[in-house]
Amino acid sequence: MSEPSPTVSFFRSLGLSEVLLKVLEGSTYKRPTPIQEQAIPAVLFGKDVLGIAKTGSGKTAAYVLPVLQQLLEARWNMQSRHVPVLVLVPTRELATQVEAVFNELSIGLPERVRTMAVFGGVSINPQMIGMQGVQVLIATPGRLLDLVDSKAVHLSEVKILVLDEADKVLDLGFKEEVDRVLSLLPRKRQNLLFSATLNAAVDAITQVVLHKPEVIQVTPEPQEVVLIQQRAFRVPQERKGPFLRYLIRSMDMRQVLVFTASTHAADHVAEKLRRNGIAAEATHGKKSNQARQQALADFKNGTLRVLVATDLLSRGIDIEFLPYVISYDLPRSPKDHVHRIGRTGRAERPGEAFTIVTPEDQPHFKVIQKKMKQWVTLESTDEIDLQGA
Ligand code: AMP
């Protein structure tokens, strides 16, 4: 017998069955992407999954492959017009894309998998007629409810729910529809939720939907950080506040994200900045959802100059391009450092990331740099006059 191809070996190690491996061998997929590597075994295991991953990460196949496998293996016996797999998506475009991935990855399977994408803005009649026998229904929330109301489809036997681009679903104002859809589902089911960001709204819905989920976050690779210009300054503890103000003012930063080590420090730093005439707000887990959202909105639209955040919350801050990021306190781990500076210099535009390092922080800063394999010269700030900063 000939050796299996590397593609097959990579995907086999995730637990995918022979028929799917055959499909993959004939596809352009050569090896699993990081989200696939982590999500596929968890989904096959029957776990709920929370995947923080953007389009382009391979997140669609990360759930399509194990869902197909479950469909083939479980052979659920469904009553008429009951679907076993429901994929909720925010837009018509995503609905058709997801359906295409299901179809692409089920070509050549021993049994046909019946999929259908439904969305608003087109006639409902063909959708109603075509619903019989559908195994994978991909739907935008509004149209799905129309179909439910006209009894074209029933959701009470759904085995697997996928919420794709959950952040967008909520941004587009589908919260009520999603709540109603959830109320129509059986309690016992598997839930897979994917989102590009983890903001407060998504966090709230994950808490309702997911049961002990496997949380998978696809972090940016350190090499993505090369677009970012990094500088580090040695600043004694007692000069950190004035130096931060000096940095913001002297470089005329209009939009800057500042990181602190704790919620208390975030509040303190924001307060100090405000008292010195620099518009700043802290955002962290102890603030209300409304306060966090307001601060983020103000920061995005440019009315708030400085947003002070802790590492945990920063993951939910999705801003396409941030010119400046300042680490006021060092992060605990190198991974957090990558996350922080990865917030700037996106989309081919250079950004600048500054790190404030106290003499006591120096050994830890060395560890971070070693892990990242990037060395930044520590600049002295002793000569800078911070009087009046
Ligand atoms: P997605 O993030 O799901 O929107 O996928 C982005 C693109 O990556 C799609 O065009 C997929 O066909 C492709 N893709 C997904 N997984 C793989 C893989 N393992 N190898 C190569 N391409 C992939």
Side-chain angles (χ1 to χ4, degrees), residues 35 38-52 62-63 66 161-163 190-195 206 209-217:
I35 184 105
Q38 296 175 69
I40 291 172
V43 179
L44 288 176
F45 200 69
K47 291 196 73 158
D48 279 8
V49 167
L50 169 61
I52 311 292
Y63 65 81
L161 168 74
V162 183
L163 240 169
Q190 186 177 13
N191 301 288
L192 315 173
L193 192 145
F194 292 84
S195 179
T206 60
V209 176
L210 301 175
H211 177 68
K212 294 193 188 151
E214 179 97 4
V215 181
I216 301 165
Q217 177 149 28

Side-chain angles (χ1 to χ4, degrees), residues 88 120 139-147 174 177 181:
L88 271 187
T140 53
R143 177 52 61 98
L144 176 65
L145 288 171
D146 292 342
L147 287 160
F174 285 128
E177 283 90 343
V181 171

Side-chain angles (χ1 to χ4, degrees), residues 149-160:
D149 289 337
S150 53
K151 304 221 173 337
V153 63
H154 304 287
L155 304 180
S156 60
E157 290 181 16
V158 165
K159 312 288 183 199
I160 305 176

Side-chain angles (χ1 to χ4, degrees), residues 166-198:
D167 48 343
K168 228 182 193 174
V169 171
L170 297 172
D171 277 352
L172 291 174
F174 285 128
K175 171 87 172 66
E176 266 177 36
E177 283 90 343
V178 172
D179 286 346
R180 205 181 140 217
V181 171
L182 293 176
S183 74
L184 297 167
L185 301 175
R187 282 173 70 95
K188 194 172 169 309
R189 57 173 202 262
Q190 186 177 13
N191 301 288
L192 315 173
L193 192 145
F194 292 84
S195 179
T197 58
L198 188 59

Side-chain angles (χ1 to χ4, degrees), residues 336-348:
D336 283 333
H337 189 64
V338 174
H339 268 288
R340 287 181 177 188
I341 63 183
R343 314 241 131 237
T344 176
R346 290 184 174 182
E348 308 299 312

Side-chain angles (χ1 to χ4, degrees), residues 262-273:
S262 66
T263 58
H264 175 73
D267 284 335
H268 180 71
V269 168
E271 168 69 25
K272 271 275 185 165
L273 288 170

Side-chain angles (χ1 to χ4, degrees), residues 11 28-33 36 54-61:
F11 283 98
T28 53
Y29 295 15
K30 292 293 160 253
R31 59 173 303 157
T33 65
Q36 290 164 4
K54 286 189 195 298
T55 295
S57 60
K59 64 164 172 68
T60 318

Side-chain angles (χ1 to χ4, degrees), residues 1-22 24-25 30-32 37 40-41 44 65 69:
M1 242 170 72
S2 60
E3 283 281 299
S5 75
T7 304
V8 165
S9 309
F10 284 134
F11 283 98
R12 179 180 280 129
S13 67
L14 306 180
L16 289 175
S17 65
E18 293 304 318
V19 280
L20 281 167
L21 294 175
K22 217 165 180 185
L24 285 167
E25 201 165 25
K30 292 293 160 253
R31 59 173 303 157
E37 237 163 36
I40 291 172
L44 288 176
L65 286 164
Q69 182 153 329

